[in-house]
Amino acid sequence: MKIRPHQSPQRGSALVSTLVVFVGISGLLIASTTMSSVEVKQARRSLDELQASAVTEAGVEMSKLRFQRAADQSASLDPLAGIAAMFDADGRCELFAGEPLLDNGISVGSFSSTAYLLDRTNRQIDVRIDTTGYLPDTPDNLAPGERVEAWEAHSVTMRFSLDGSDVFDYAYFINNWGWLYGNSIYCNGNARSNGQFDAGGYKPTITGQTIYDGLEWNGAKANLIGYQDDNGDGLMDGNDGGIFSGWDIVRSDRVRGNGGNEENQHDFEASVPMPNLSNLTMYEDMAAAQNSSISIGGTTIVQGVLGDDPGEKQHLYLVGTNSNPIVIDGPVVVRGDVVISGVVEGQGVIYSGGNTYVPDSITYKRAPNHERPINNHQANVEAWITSNQNRDFLGLFSAENVVVGDFTDPTWRSYVSSWMSSSMNQSAEDAGEDGIPNTRAGRDGILGTADDDVLEGDGVFSVEYYTAADAAAGTIPPGFSIGDVIPGSGEDIDGDGRYDSTTTLADLDFQSPLNTANFAGNMPSGGISNYSSVSSMYANNLDATFYTNHSFCYMVLGAQPAKINGAMIARNENIIYGTPSIEINYDCRLLGALDGLLGDMMPRVLAPAEVLQWRREYEDPHSVNYESHAVTYQSGGDGNGNSGNGNSNGNSGNGNSGGNGNGNG
């Protein structure tokens, strides 16, 4: 029998060690594989949560657009009323239910969104928008057995508010091409046009005026807040303001004053929209709320609104004298034409649904101590406002045209008509996407390139129309129907919902004969058969702030300077002066917009929507009973690795006008 050699103990130890190492490596491999799988799942979940968040944010933005469209559709009445109309009696509005979010036609998720009305005043409306985004779809849309892979909910509180229009920051504002052709033109304030601004190589003086965000009061002292350093020099020295344009500024190298400085000339700026006066409902409510009035000699002529009662006269004729001035208190609405001249006392605005005629000069009985502050330094402007806060102020705001002087005079008609028909000053509502004529070739001036305004001059009134979807959402204002033009959309520049061709002298004619049957006020008992008997070619003093969605028409002659003490704001202007000079002296009491001294009677526009709060929710505000789909799901967690329960009961806590021209006639 053969005897085997004795086995070495070292070899057995090595085998055991190898086995241990193998087991250890295997364990590491298994652990690594398990960890990789977990990491892949976590990564996938993170991607799903990120996508769900994106879907939710898209839903919020779509909801905000719904409210914005509702406001735009009712802008001719009251933007806030359009938003409020979306809510039911319980203050709830279902905006979207399982709305798919598409990317090139492929669904990347869906969202549901519900809004709640939180608060409303005459200046603002607050809403809360609850939105949930789901992957791959909302539970109600899933097949039995399918699960929601991820979801996220956001609650956003929004404020939609009315603000004063920025057009009142300017002494001279044109919602078209602006012109200051003359060496003896003095614009003591800012000049702005939404189209090109042209000084024609002349030497007008534009002093500029610093713009402020608001006005506060320290007792009886005015404090302007929010100094706008628009020349970018870092100084608050009052040397801001000047020329502003939505297009280019041309032939302005000889302009005097701050407006002649390169740093005070601002071209290609965003367009400043004009308030819409085609429907005066909002201002009639304002007049009634403020118990506004016009009186002469102690007799009340207008109480709030003229023309709203059955059988009431639609038009107003006013002539004031030193002994019997026109006394105005607050904003007043006249549904028809207004004729006004003479002496005015008090503070107020007349909103006219037709033309406003100024046959002769308008003079304040208690005018400001000086037409302007001694300079534009803030302290001096505040002192001027403080000193003149109770002095007379008149605003003449017309839905149609403002006509100054004797428009029946052949000379007046010849000069004004020539500007109306000028090819440089087109007024027909075929001005294209930007609402400004003569911009078809775009900023580069070359036709056939990407920046062309292809809608301009195409012979089509390009506007939007109310749809069945708008009707279903309840956003069509009273008096409108499916298929009607949305006022103010597209090329409807003046916001009246109708196409307007080029303005002519015929647009300046009276709607009704000048007699006591048609006009309230102090019209002569026998009426007026000849307008020239009450009007003048020498209406050289205009103490008023003028606003029109159409054209400001004015020709003046004489040896005295012509003055507008307030502001001139229009889509187009036809100013021809044969006086030694013409001055526009900006009334600094207009500063501060809706919070300014006169803000409670001024036209209003919808301010940009404001987000008051945006927070993530950890319970789904749109959850329902999902048992039919056997679905359970969780929220994406709170950022600390903790997930939330997805079950919740969902309880809610510009106008058509004539040409622009200034010249020494």
Side-chain angles (χ1 to χ4, degrees):
M1 179 175 74
K2 186 176 181 178
I3 300 175
R4 296 186 179 186
H6 181 71
Q7 187 172 3
S8 171
Q10 287 83 359
R11 179 175 176 83
S13 175
L15 289 173
V16 172
S17 299
T18 300
L19 180 61
V20 170
V21 170
F22 176 77
V23 172
I25 292 174
S26 299
L28 287 172
L29 288 172
I30 293 170
S32 176
T33 302
T34 302
M35 290 177 64
S36 297
S37 176
V38 170
E39 289 174 353
V40 168
K41 290 180 179 178
Q42 289 178 339
R44 173 58 185 272
R45 179 174 178 178
S46 296
L47 288 173
D48 286 348
E49 290 173 353
L50 182 62
Q51 186 172 337
S53 177
V55 172
T56 305
E57 291 183 12
V60 172
E61 295 302 323
M62 291 290 288
S63 300
K64 290 163 62 177
L65 285 175
R66 277 279 183 94
F67 284 117
Q68 187 65 54
R69 179 170 173 80
D72 292 342
Q73 288 178 339
S74 61
S76 64
L77 299 172
D78 180 353
L80 298 186
I83 292 174
M86 296 178 65
F87 294 91
D88 61 22
D90 295 326
R92 185 178 187 277
C93 172
E94 184 177 286
L95 296 167
F96 298 99
E99 183 75 12
L101 181 64
L102 303 179
D103 182 11
N104 291 325
I106 300 174
S107 176
V108 295
S110 63
F111 59 88
S112 295
S113 186
T114 306
Y116 300 91
L117 178 60
L118 301 181
D119 185 41
R120 183 188 178 187
T121 69
N122 62 348
R123 285 185 55 177
Q124 67 189 39
I125 184 168
D126 294 346
V127 303
R128 192 185 80 234
I129 305 170
D130 292 343
T131 305
T132 310
Y134 302 92
L135 294 182
D137 206 342
T138 56
D140 282 345
N141 293 337
L142 295 177
E146 283 190 283
R147 296 170 54 92
V148 170
E149 296 172 1
W151 67 270
E152 187 163 304
H154 292 177
S155 181
V156 180
T157 302
M158 303 286 302
R159 172 167 292 169
F160 299 89
S161 59
L162 297 176
D163 199 358
S165 173
D166 290 343
V167 300
F168 292 98
D169 289 330
Y170 305 90
Y172 173 94
F173 179 96
I174 300 297
N175 188 28
N176 203 325
W177 287 41
W179 313 81
L180 288 184
Y181 281 13
N183 296 327
S184 55
I185 298 174
Y186 298 88
C187 179
N188 296 315
N190 296 320
R192 184 170 194 134
S193 61
N194 276 336
Q196 185 182 76
F197 186 91
D198 185 1
Y202 289 90
K203 297 187 292 184
T205 298
I206 302 175
T207 65
Q209 168 64 59
T210 303
I211 299 172
Y212 297 85
D213 294 337
L215 177 72
E216 296 178 340
W217 291 91
N218 181 8
K221 183 182 181 300
N223 292 320
L224 291 162
I225 58 174
Y227 184 107
Q228 296 186 20
D229 177 23
D230 52 63
N231 66 12
D233 63 1
L235 302 176
M236 298 172 61
D237 56 2
N239 288 322
D240 291 276
I243 302 174
F244 302 79
S245 176
W247 205 249
D248 54 350
I249 298 173
V250 300
R251 298 187 290 180
S252 61
D253 55 301
R254 302 178 69 193
V255 172
R256 294 172 289 192
N258 273 350
N261 301 330
E262 183 178 355
E263 63 270 21
N264 292 84
Q265 294 185 2
H266 312 279
D267 57 1
F268 295 110
E269 292 215 331
S271 176
V272 176
M274 295 186 76
N276 190 333
L277 298 187
S278 63
N279 187 298
L280 297 176
T281 301
M282 179 165 55
Y283 303 104
E284 291 188 2
D285 294 342
M286 181 192 301
Q290 297 186 33
N291 196 30
S292 304
S293 65
I294 296 176
S295 63
I296 295 179
T299 300
T300 299
I301 296 171
V302 181
Q303 188 71 52
V305 181
L306 179 66
D308 58 335
D309 293 330
E312 191 173 33
K313 298 171 185 178
Q314 299 290 301
H315 312 294
L316 181 62
Y317 180 92
L318 299 169
V319 176
T321 64
N322 276 320
S323 56
N324 284 308
I326 302 163
V327 180
I328 186 166
D329 181 15
V332 170
V333 176
V334 177
R335 290 191 171 181
D337 294 335
V338 171
V339 183
I340 181 171
S341 64
V343 181
V344 175
E345 184 178 11
Q347 292 186 344
V349 171
I350 302 176
Y351 288 88
S352 168
N355 289 331
T356 295
Y357 299 87
V358 182
D360 207 341
S361 291
I362 296 176
T363 305
Y364 290 145
K365 186 174 179 64
R366 298 180 65 252
N369 296 322
H370 302 281
E371 293 165 346
R372 290 277 299 161
I374 58 175
N375 58 43
N376 283 337
H377 291 298
Q378 182 170 340
N380 292 324
V381 176
E382 290 173 338
W384 187 91
I385 296 173
T386 300
S387 174
N388 295 293
Q389 60 181 296
N390 295 318
R391 294 280 176 165
D392 299 335
F393 174 86
L394 174 66
L396 295 174
F397 300 161
S398 177
E400 297 297 333
N401 304 284
V402 174
V403 185
V404 183
D406 182 6
F407 76 100
T408 65
D409 184 279
T411 302
W412 194 104
R413 297 176 73 82
S414 175
Y415 275 101
V416 170
S417 179
S418 68
W419 278 114
M420 282 183 171
S421 59
S422 171
S423 61
M424 295 187 297
N425 300 287
Q426 299 174 34
S427 56
E429 290 186 324
D430 192 11
E433 185 177 1
D434 61 4
I436 306 296
N438 300 312
T439 61
R440 181 177 175 82
R443 291 187 182 183
D444 63 8
I446 303 172
L447 286 171
T449 54
D451 68 344
D452 287 3
D453 189 353
V454 296
L455 298 180
E456 181 179 327
D458 62 357
V460 178
F461 186 42
S462 300
V463 291
E464 296 180 38
Y465 300 87
Y466 292 112
T467 66
D470 297 325
T475 58
I476 299 180
F480 294 88
S481 304
I482 296 172
D484 288 346
V485 173
I486 298 176
S489 65
E491 292 181 314
D492 182 27
I493 299 169
D494 67 344
D496 64 0
R498 300 185 302 272
Y499 171 75
D500 294 308
S501 59
T502 301
T503 302
T504 68
L505 291 175
D507 295 304
L508 310 184
D509 292 339
F510 284 104
Q511 302 177 41
S512 304
L514 289 166
N515 56 40
T516 56
N518 298 303
F519 282 79
N522 56 352
M523 169 76 66
S525 58
I528 298 171
S529 59
N530 188 348
Y531 188 70
S532 62
S533 66
V534 297
S535 60
S536 171
M537 291 288 286
Y538 304 91
N540 68 306
N541 191 87
L542 303 175
D543 286 345
T545 293
F546 295 93
Y547 177 93
T548 169
N549 283 350
H550 289 260
S551 185
F552 183 89
C553 306
Y554 181 26
M555 182 176 181
V556 59
L557 303 175
Q560 299 299 316
K563 293 185 178 183
I564 300 175
N565 297 315
M568 195 286 301
I569 301 154
R571 183 182 176 220
N572 293 82
E573 53 91 348
N574 307 297
I575 299 177
I576 302 97
Y577 69 100
T579 53
S581 64
I582 184 167
E583 302 175 19
I584 305 178
N585 297 304
Y586 179 73
D587 191 330
C588 290
R589 293 175 295 178
L590 294 166
L591 291 171
L594 206 59
D595 294 323
L597 176 65
L598 307 166
D600 61 351
M601 63 180 74
M602 302 298 285
R604 302 178 180 188
V605 295
L606 187 68
E610 181 181 2
V611 176
L612 302 181
Q613 184 183 64
W614 190 314
R615 70 173 186 268
R616 184 177 179 182
E617 297 290 344
Y618 297 104
E619 291 187 353
D620 179 9
H622 295 93
S623 64
V624 295
N625 184 356
Y626 301 128
E627 292 182 355
S628 61
H629 298 303
V631 173
T632 59
Y633 62 98
Q634 293 178 325
S635 70
D638 59 9
N640 299 313
N642 301 317
S643 63
N645 189 337
N647 298 313
S648 169
N649 60 15
N651 290 338
S652 69
N654 312 14
N656 166 346
S657 73
N660 309 338
N662 303 88
N664 197 332

